[in-house]
DNA sequence: CCCGTTTCGACCACTTCCGACCACTCCATA
DNA sequence: TATGGAGTGGTCGGAAGTGGTCGAAACGGG
């Protein structure tokens, strides 16, 4: 199974178009075709799932027996997602509704996350990478991971 | 399993290219080929993993059951990494995004760290080597190590 | 129902970037 | 001094990214 890896810069223009970086687009189109499902789990990012992958994720979401509040919130968000196609330049046209709900526009980073792509504001990525080192407790957690 | 050992000077030129020191490059290419994954765990350094090694590390990172905050931060950082190839001179082209986000440029040190290479600013390496002696507590920790 | 406004997909043109290639210097060794 | 490996710097063309126009379709109000 093809894994998405790597973070690349991109921009969302005034019309809401995002050009997926070539490296990620290759991985996407070779493995799954050019249909994707775009949605948001969290306010700071958009997620782009290849359609076949999304169908599995959706299955898993809906099959959960107990409708815990967190799950309900998630499903409500997902319902505002969109099934989209890449145009011939590999661009996604993100509908106005999604753009409004998720505050991503202008300079963004598109990053591979194993089974989907994430679109986040570049400023957010920068602040995460530049964040000062982890606390002692956090370092403790990572001990034994053999990184 | 090939272990990386040794610290060597290198420079990152204006285009973001780093020539891996020959000694380390031999160890890398002989053992694993010329595909690498470059990412940042901490703001002051880049890490270069041979692809086969990275796949193991990634597995270990993702398989941790409890998503502790420190782990989440780490994974988010890793998502901005890049899959790269060495050019025919053994140089890595570090993408602008990573260069911006991790403050490494100009004079650096490339050092072997068992299973990966680290790229840090040379000034940082220098200050560590010149650092004043350890505190009493720190010396205490080291007792019995037979160094 | 009709028309003005908005939205979106297709198409086109320009700019930027980066990866491949080449040229040169600096040492160490013979 | 000749030679080869290592490190450094630059160029150049094709690919990738960016920005715009135009027309069809969708929508809402009168």
């Amino acid at each position: 199974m093809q894994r998405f890896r790597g973070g690349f810069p991109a921009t969302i223009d005034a019309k809401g178009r995002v050009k997926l970086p070539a490296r990620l687009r290759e991985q996407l189109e070779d493995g799954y075709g050019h249909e994707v499902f775009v949605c948001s789990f969290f306010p700071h990012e958009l997620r782009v799932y290849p359609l076949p992958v999304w169908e599995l994720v959706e299955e898993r979401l809906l099959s959960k027996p107990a409708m815990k509040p967190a799950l309900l919130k998630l499903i409500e968000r997902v319902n505002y997602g969109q099934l989209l196609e890449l145009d011939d330049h590999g661009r996604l046209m993100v509908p106005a509704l999604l753009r409004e709900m998720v505050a991503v526009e202008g300079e963004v980073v598109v990053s591979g996350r194993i089974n989907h792509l994430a679109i986040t504001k570049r400023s957010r990525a920068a602040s995460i990478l530049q964040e000062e080192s982890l606390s002692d407790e956090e370092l403790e957690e990572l001990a034994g991971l053999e990184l």
Side-chain angles (χ1 to χ4, degrees), chain A residues 82-93:
Chain A
Q82 297 259 353
L83 199 56
L84 299 176
E85 285 193 29
L86 297 184
D87 70 11
D88 53 356
H89 286 249
R91 279 192 287 196
L92 272 184
M93 169 74 194

Side-chain angles (χ1 to χ4, degrees), chain A residues 72-145:
Chain A
L72 285 175
K73 279 187 197 170
L74 214 60
I75 290 176
E76 182 143 18
R77 285 180 157 274
V78 164
N79 285 335
Y80 297 121
Q82 297 259 353
L83 199 56
L84 299 176
E85 285 193 29
L86 297 184
D87 70 11
D88 53 356
H89 286 249
R91 279 192 287 196
L92 272 184
M93 169 74 194
V94 181
L97 189 63
L98 271 179
R99 266 180 286 151
E100 281 170 29
M101 293 176 58
V102 182
V104 287
E105 55 182 2
E107 308 219 309
V108 297
V109 180
V110 183
S111 55
R113 287 200 193 150
I114 312 300
N115 70 344
H116 69 276
L117 305 180
I119 302 177
T120 54
K121 274 192 287 193
R122 210 175 297 177
S123 58
R124 179 184 158 85
S127 68
I128 284 174
L129 284 180
Q130 284 164 8
E131 214 170 62
E132 265 318 300
S133 53
L134 304 165
S135 69
D136 287 352
E137 296 86 31
E138 288 172 331
L139 284 173
E140 192 75 22
E141 288 177 30
L142 302 175
L145 264 181

Side-chain angles (χ1 to χ4, degrees), chain A residues 3-126:
Chain A
R3 296 196 152 188
F4 297 117
R5 262 194 275 252
F8 303 87
T11 61
I12 302 188
D13 68 20
K15 295 177 63 181
R17 296 177 298 186
V18 206
K19 179 139 185 160
L20 295 188
R23 300 277 293 276
L24 291 172
R25 197 166 69 241
E26 282 169 24
Q27 297 171 38
L28 177 69
E29 292 186 318
D30 291 357
Y32 306 102
H34 56 287
E35 275 185 309
V36 297
F37 186 77
V38 179
C39 62
S40 150
F41 283 6
F42 307 108
H44 57 81
E45 68 175 36
L46 284 174
R47 290 185 175 211
V48 180
Y49 285 87
L51 183 54
V53 174
W54 174 250
E55 285 170 347
L56 297 176
V57 173
E58 196 177 60
E59 211 58 52
R60 235 175 294 140
L61 265 179
L62 298 176
S63 70
K64 285 284 170 189
M67 288 301 238
K68 300 266 180 69
L71 200 54
L72 285 175
K73 279 187 197 170
L74 214 60
I75 290 176
E76 182 143 18
R77 285 180 157 274
V78 164
N79 285 335
Y80 297 121
Q82 297 259 353
L83 199 56
L84 299 176
E85 285 193 29
L86 297 184
D87 70 11
D88 53 356
H89 286 249
R91 279 192 287 196
L92 272 184
M93 169 74 194
V94 181
L97 189 63
L98 271 179
R99 266 180 286 151
E100 281 170 29
M101 293 176 58
V102 182
V104 287
E105 55 182 2
E107 308 219 309
V108 297
V109 180
V110 183
S111 55
R113 287 200 193 150
I114 312 300
N115 70 344
H116 69 276
L117 305 180
I119 302 177
T120 54
K121 274 192 287 193
R122 210 175 297 177
S123 58
R124 179 184 158 85

